[in-house]
Amino acid sequence: MSKTTKNVRSAQTALEATASAAKDAHRMSKTLPKKQAKKLRSVAEEAADAARPGSKKLKASPRKVEKKAVSALQRVETAIDKAEAKIAAAAEKAVRATKKSDAKKSEAKKSDAKKSEAKKKSDSKKKSDTGNRPKPAAKKPAAKAPTSLPETSSPIEAGQPAGVASTNLNGLTLAELRERAKAEGRTGFWRLPKAQLVALLSA
């Protein structure tokens, strides 16, 4: 009788531990991702079933009940350890990602600061160069060609009739007419055609 009581007490202790572990696993499953939570809940439910064998079964075969409870307890504990390991790995991964992101932000800030400093130096140099650059010389207005021809003595005043002078001039080439106009001190004749040049010299 005492032996049976001892076995029942031992089985009850195992059942209590298994039931407690099943509750812990169920609570943890609520904090896990969907897939992991489903696995852990399944193990927790099996452990909870093993922790409720019924009083008749407990009294009839306490050793068997205890063995089943201990096995369920081990499965729950293993599942909890795996879940905790995955949680720790996920947390570590998040920390690494945060550090990496912070490092990138820091590098970006440094790069922006360098670019800003380089731009300031460039702007300062441009201003300095602009201040030292000599001003372009003002353009002088182009000399205007005389609009009117100077009055000169006509062939009549020189002792020649106008018709005779015009006839003599027509026999000259354009180059000879220009030479004569130049010799007489006339201006603005270089672009005149032969007929107008003859008229100019005859006037």
Side-chain angles (χ1 to χ4, degrees), residues 19-123:
S20 178
K23 286 180 182 179
D24 291 342
H26 188 73
R27 279 197 295 269
M28 183 180 282
S29 69
K30 292 178 181 179
T31 63
L32 297 175
K34 199 170 183 180
K35 193 174 180 181
Q36 293 178 19
K38 189 176 180 181
K39 287 182 180 180
L40 188 58
R41 271 199 301 269
S42 177
V43 175
E45 286 169 5
E46 289 177 6
D49 289 340
R52 295 189 298 266
S55 56
K56 287 182 180 180
K57 195 171 184 180
L58 176 60
K59 288 178 181 179
S61 50
R63 292 261 181 120
K64 192 176 180 181
V65 169
E66 182 182 358
K67 187 177 180 181
K68 189 176 179 181
V70 169
S71 178
L73 177 61
Q74 288 175 349
R75 286 197 299 273
V76 170
E77 288 177 345
T78 301
I80 288 172
D81 289 343
K82 284 183 180 179
E84 287 177 344
K86 285 183 179 179
I87 290 171
E92 190 177 346
K93 188 177 180 180
V95 169
R96 283 200 302 268
T98 303
K99 285 182 179 179
K100 193 174 181 181
S101 176
D102 291 343
K104 282 185 178 180
K105 286 179 182 178
S106 178
E107 286 295 324
K109 283 182 180 179
K110 287 179 182 178
S111 178
D112 290 343
K114 285 181 180 179
K115 285 179 182 178
S116 179
E117 189 65 26
K119 189 177 180 184
K120 284 180 182 178
K121 287 181 180 179
S122 177
D123 291 345

Side-chain angles (χ1 to χ4, degrees), residues 19 26 51 74 89 95 120-121 138 143 146-147 160 168 192 194 200:
H26 188 73
Q74 288 175 349
V95 169
K120 284 180 182 178
K121 287 181 180 179
T147 54
Q160 283 187 351
N168 292 340
L192 296 175
K194 185 176 179 179
L200 175 66

